[in-house]
Amino acid sequence: MGIEMKILVTGGAGYIGSHTCVELINAGHEVVIVDNLCNSNIESVKRIREITGKDIEFNEADISDREKMEKIFCNNNFDAVIHFAGLKAVGESCEKPLEYFINNISGTLVMLDIMKKYNVKNIVFSSSATVYGTPKTVPIKEDFPLSVTNPYGRTKLMLEEILQDIYKADNQWNVTLLRYFNPIGAHKSGKIGEDPNGIPNNLLPYITKVAIGELPILNVFANDYPTEDGTCIRDYIHVVDLADGHVKAIESIKDNSGVRIYNLGTGNGYSVLEVIKNFEKASGKQIPFQIADRRAGDVAVCYADSSLAKKELGWEAKYGIEEMCRDSWNWQVNNPKGYGV
Ligand code: NAD
Ligand code: UFG
């Protein structure tokens, strides 16, 4: 703990990556970003520089571009990699499975091979609560059975397994798999946040677009689930808390060799209607909504038991749903066009 590290952040221009870069820099670490900008904007890197006052190295490259990646590893003496780069839309992954397997899996394999060559064997990987499929009970613990229902989820599960195999073959590797629940919110400065392309798939970005008048009405995907108000329950977590989880994970990675797996959630579940109410309160805006059909693949209730991360990493979420809604709204109001494209 407390030792400054040089960290390669893949996908560092993206939503969670950009927030994590800020927290890593605030904690005294040096960050190098690699991102092909397929789902992000170079403006986010400028904003990270603005927030932190540090001139971060940015490399526009695909993680599967061996030549460019080798150059980056050759020029830097990395202690660890935090690996966010990947495609993440569940629906799109069903339409374009190959694209997801090539980008997420092949890309990661190339990168891991280069890590091995340059003897960088510490990695924190972005996994997802999606690997739990439809959980039989909640809260979800790390040792629950795993299953997936779509190609996106399969890329996460396969990469988890691949990383475990790599460790089994070479115990010098340190692998931390972080299973995120539902990240929302934004940095309190309002300078970085989530900037999805086109019409958002996820609840919070959709709500903020309705609040700002860009979309007319929110469709609530059904109210006939076995929950109190009939709408689905999720474990929303502030993206800055999530970012802090990565700082804690990377700082402990060298102490404990092996494979470690942590849920990053708050442990609290909120229904879609509760999120709408909290957002209305935080923003002072009314969110018109209508009840629509169920969305294929949605599970009724999903929230984390994150006590392992608390015990082993000393991490727990600090922010509540009010702050998450407030900061999502603050980002939207300050950046009505996101990063401007
Ligand atoms: P994001 O799309 O904002 O960030 C991902 C970044 O990776 C983007 O900047 C994109 O341009 C980059 N990228 C994608 N493929 C690349 C490649 N081949 N080479 C280089 N760069 C590439 O997404 P996010 O929400 O910040 O998610 C980060 C990670 O966390 C992803 O792996 C995602 O699957 C995972 N995750 C996200 C959520 C969520 O709800 N946001 C939940 C669970 C897990
Ligand atoms: N929802 C609506 N209307 C919308 C969008 C969402 O009612 O317009 C509802 C969904 O039905 C769900 C809840 O809001 O009940 C949350 O939906 P999101 O799409 O925001 O999040 P998910 O829980 O479906 O998915 C997220 C990530 C996935 C990840 C999964 C599990 O987007 O990448 O969590 O970790 F796989």
Side-chain angles (χ1 to χ4, degrees):
M1 289 283 282
I3 301 162
E4 193 184 312
M5 285 190 267
K6 187 162 191 178
I7 299 157
L8 177 67
V9 181
T10 75
Y15 174 46
I16 306 171
S18 58
H19 288 82
T20 301
C21 286
V22 168
E23 298 310 312
L24 286 168
I25 293 164
N26 286 344
H29 302 296
E30 195 182 335
V31 161
V32 172
I33 296 175
V34 57
D35 198 304
N36 66 1
L37 302 178
C38 70
N39 195 39
S40 52
N41 190 303
I42 185 70
E43 181 63 25
S44 71
V45 179
K46 291 187 193 145
R47 304 280 181 93
I48 300 170
R49 291 184 181 129
E50 259 175 60
I51 295 170
T52 60
K54 289 265 157 60
D55 189 22
I56 314 141
E57 180 183 325
F58 173 75
N59 299 280
E60 185 172 344
D62 194 293
I63 51 164
S64 67
D65 186 331
R66 192 174 276 275
E67 212 175 301
K68 281 192 186 168
M69 290 295 284
E70 287 233 18
K71 218 167 162 192
I72 297 166
F73 274 80
C74 196
N75 290 341
N76 292 283
N77 195 5
F78 294 122
D79 295 295
V81 173
I82 304 185
H83 181 34
F84 294 103
L87 301 173
K88 63 162 183 177
V90 173
E92 187 186 57
S93 79
C94 298
E95 288 153 26
K96 303 176 183 169
L98 252 185
E99 205 169 284
Y100 272 67
F101 293 131
I102 291 170
N103 190 76
N104 292 7
I105 297 182
S106 305
T108 302
L109 294 180
V110 171
M111 190 193 65
L112 289 168
D113 198 34
I114 296 169
M115 286 177 70
K116 184 178 145 207
K117 180 169 172 187
Y118 287 85
N119 203 31
V120 180
K121 293 184 174 175
N122 297 318
I123 182 165
V124 173
F125 173 62
S126 297
S127 189
S128 164
T130 196
V131 298
Y132 296 114
T134 306
K136 288 210 169 61
T137 57
V138 280
I140 298 169
K141 286 185 181 245
E142 287 83 354
D143 60 2
F144 275 26
L146 305 178
S147 70
V148 289
T149 53
N150 58 71
Y152 164 70
R154 198 172 312 283
T155 68
K156 292 297 174 196
L157 190 52
M158 286 175 78
L159 286 170
E160 283 200 2
E161 289 170 345
I162 287 167
L163 285 162
Q164 300 191 47
D165 284 343
I166 289 172
Y167 168 72
K168 272 183 217 147
D170 176 359
N171 290 353
Q172 284 180 344
W173 281 83
N174 291 304
V175 174
T176 301
L177 310 175
L178 298 179
R179 295 180 180 150
Y180 313 152
F181 282 67
N182 288 55
I184 61 171
H187 191 262
K188 64 177 186 311
S189 65
K191 285 182 191 291
I192 53 173
E194 188 169 13
D195 183 21
N197 286 327
I199 296 176
N201 296 309
N202 299 114
L203 181 62
L204 246 291
Y206 203 106
I207 289 179
T208 61
K209 297 259 178 259
V210 171
I212 206 157
E214 218 178 280
L215 291 169
I217 190 164
L218 170 73
N219 286 310
V220 172
F221 296 139
N223 61 356
D224 60 354
Y225 286 97
T227 63
E228 207 159 297
D229 64 23
T231 65
C232 293
I233 291 176
R234 293 288 180 276
D235 187 339
Y236 297 94
I237 173 165
H238 198 297
V239 66
V240 173
D241 274 330
L242 199 60
D244 181 46
H246 290 76
V247 176
K248 298 279 195 314
I250 208 81
E251 286 178 347
S252 73
I253 202 164
K254 283 189 157 172
D255 309 339
N256 304 295
S257 85
V259 177
R260 294 172 308 150
I261 305 175
Y262 301 107
N263 285 338
L264 296 184
T266 64
N268 301 313
Y270 289 91
S271 74
V272 177
L273 296 184
E274 285 173 328
V275 173
I276 296 173
K277 254 187 231 129
N278 275 285
F279 185 86
E280 288 183 332
K281 210 168 134 198
S283 65
K285 294 275 176 188
Q286 233 205 316
I287 305 300
F289 69 85
Q290 62 195 10
I291 304 299
D293 288 343
R294 285 185 176 198
R295 181 173 70 176
D298 276 343
V299 302
V301 183
C302 175
Y303 58 91
D305 179 331
S306 283
S307 53
L308 191 64
K310 184 173 181 187
K311 187 171 149 224
E312 293 191 0
L313 300 178
W315 173 88
E316 68 183 319
K318 293 191 199 79
Y319 297 110
I321 191 76
E322 304 80 16
E323 288 127 326
M324 299 182 214
C325 290
R326 179 198 68 198
D327 293 341
S328 286
W329 178 233
N330 184 43
W331 154 252
Q332 178 69 76
V333 168
N334 281 294
N335 307 272
K337 288 194 166 20
Y339 289 116
V341 285

